[in-house]
Amino acid sequence: MTRTPSSHPPVVLVLRALGLGDLLAGVPALRGVRRAFPGHRTVLALPPGLAEPALATGAVDAVFPAEAPGRAVPSLTHWTGPPPDVAIDLHGNGPESRDALAAVHPRRLLAHAGPDGPPWQARLHERDRWCAFLHAYGIPADPLDLRLPRPATPSPAPGAVVVHPGAASGSRRWPGERFAAVVRCLRAAGHPVVLTGGPGEDALVRSVAERSGQRARDVLTGGLPYAELSALVAEASLVLSGDTGLAHLAVAHGTRSVTLFGPVSPHLWGPPASPAHLALWKPGPPGDPHGRTPDARLLRIGSGEVAAACLTLLRPAGSGSRPAGPEVAHVH
């Protein structure tokens, strides 16, 4: 097919219309796409609320608003530009996401469910899976290419321990009273702590604050604007959270982190190998990552072991033992 001359560069349209953690886990693949198509304009289809973090990755040129309830595949029929030169499905492995991209009539479509698509590798880590998917199409991508640039916005609490008790689903939400116990322990050890929560999590954050005696000025409710949240995490001494987007943001900024896993293994969604990150997890059969009640494996993690993990990472270099080997600490 002969391309019609145009003053506009050809477009690569990528679909990954999920949450913040999904976006950040997809950064290595997105950077691989951008390097593979240097003369193209890379457009990422995702929920409009994630436009700012998507552009902050430096991996895409523009965003295209696309969202659906839950984690459903959004329609892309409101696309008004010329058909994309290439469309890439980084959203899922089924025909729904493939068909959503096919509806905009790209010249070439890369998808697991496409006729030339590679098999889905369910047991790979999320970052590795999508990089392997691109490799199958001859596109190099490095799963460790995930760091974000330092934000220009000042942090509202530089050097503090950031404790984020919320999560998108109840199955990944460790009990608030246990977070409060850890906050009390960290403050007793002399570490400043700030509590954060996303939209709709104010009641949970205030409950943890009340149980832990946290000062009102150190409670950041309502969901910070992304630039401020990114700066807070980038300048934190440690981030403690469940398996949620803030944990991925800590990894992206190289900030020390302790992450609590329950229904999903850290082998699939956890941080890369680094002594700066500890993932606490009780092995067992996988649970429902979108369930309403805390996962049984998550509830087996005690506040004492979480506090110990945090204090271990916060210990100054040279003051004693630090975690050795892989970053994923399976606490039994």
Side-chain angles (χ1 to χ4, degrees):
M1 181 184 295
T2 302
R3 189 188 307 281
T4 302
S6 171
S7 59
H8 301 289
V11 168
V12 176
L13 177 62
V14 182
L15 175 63
R16 192 166 177 82
L18 298 163
L20 176 61
D22 304 274
L23 166 65
L24 296 175
V27 165
L30 290 169
R31 287 179 172 156
V33 169
R34 190 161 198 183
R35 286 191 296 267
F37 299 96
H40 290 60
R41 181 173 172 80
T42 303
V43 179
L44 178 61
L46 84 172
L50 293 176
E52 188 176 1
L55 294 172
T57 68
V60 300
D61 298 300
V63 296
F64 178 67
E67 63 181 334
R71 294 174 69 86
V73 177
S75 169
L76 303 179
T77 55
H78 53 299
W79 177 267
T80 58
D85 189 60
V86 183
I88 302 178
D89 181 4
L90 296 183
H91 187 94
N93 67 330
E96 296 85 1
S97 49
R98 175 204 62 196
D99 292 347
L101 286 166
V104 300
H105 308 293
R107 292 180 68 249
R108 185 185 181 199
L109 175 58
L110 281 56
H112 274 291
D116 59 346
W120 178 259
Q121 302 188 57
R123 296 189 178 185
L124 282 184
H125 191 285
E126 184 74 2
R127 292 184 298 270
D128 296 326
R129 179 191 300 120
W130 291 109
C131 289
F133 163 75
L134 293 177
H135 274 282
Y137 283 105
I139 300 174
D142 179 1
L144 297 180
D145 186 12
L146 45 75
R147 292 292 294 271
L148 295 183
R150 219 61 165 181
T153 302
S155 167
V161 175
V162 175
V163 176
H164 185 83
S169 61
S171 62
R172 290 181 282 136
R173 200 173 295 142
W174 200 49
E177 62 270 20
R178 300 191 195 181
F179 273 110
V182 176
V183 170
R184 291 194 298 269
C185 181
L186 293 173
R187 290 177 56 206
H191 298 286
V193 177
V194 295
L195 291 170
T196 65
E201 295 179 342
D202 287 3
L204 171 62
V205 175
R206 291 196 177 105
S207 173
V208 173
E210 290 170 3
R211 291 172 181 267
S212 61
Q214 190 78 348
R215 298 175 301 181
R217 68 184 184 186
D218 295 325
V219 179
L220 307 175
T221 56
L224 293 175
Y226 174 75
E228 194 172 347
L229 178 66
S230 183
L232 175 70
V233 170
E235 300 298 330
S237 59
L238 177 87
V239 170
L240 167 62
S241 74
D243 174 20
T244 189
L246 209 70
H248 292 272
L249 191 58
V251 170
H253 281 310
T255 299
R256 289 174 291 186
S257 67
V258 173
T259 308
L260 313 181
F261 284 83
V264 177
S265 165
H267 288 302
L268 300 177
W269 279 93
S274 165
H277 306 296
L278 288 174
L280 305 188
W281 179 60
K282 306 294 187 178
D288 179 6
H290 310 296
R292 295 184 177 182
T293 58
D295 183 82
R297 283 156 294 277
L298 185 63
L299 292 178
R300 287 167 56 197
I301 301 174
S303 56
E305 53 193 321
V306 174
C310 292
L311 292 173
T312 297
L313 287 184
L314 288 165
R315 189 176 299 140
S319 65
S321 62
R322 291 288 297 273
E327 89 299 350
V328 178
H330 300 301
V331 179
H332 301 282

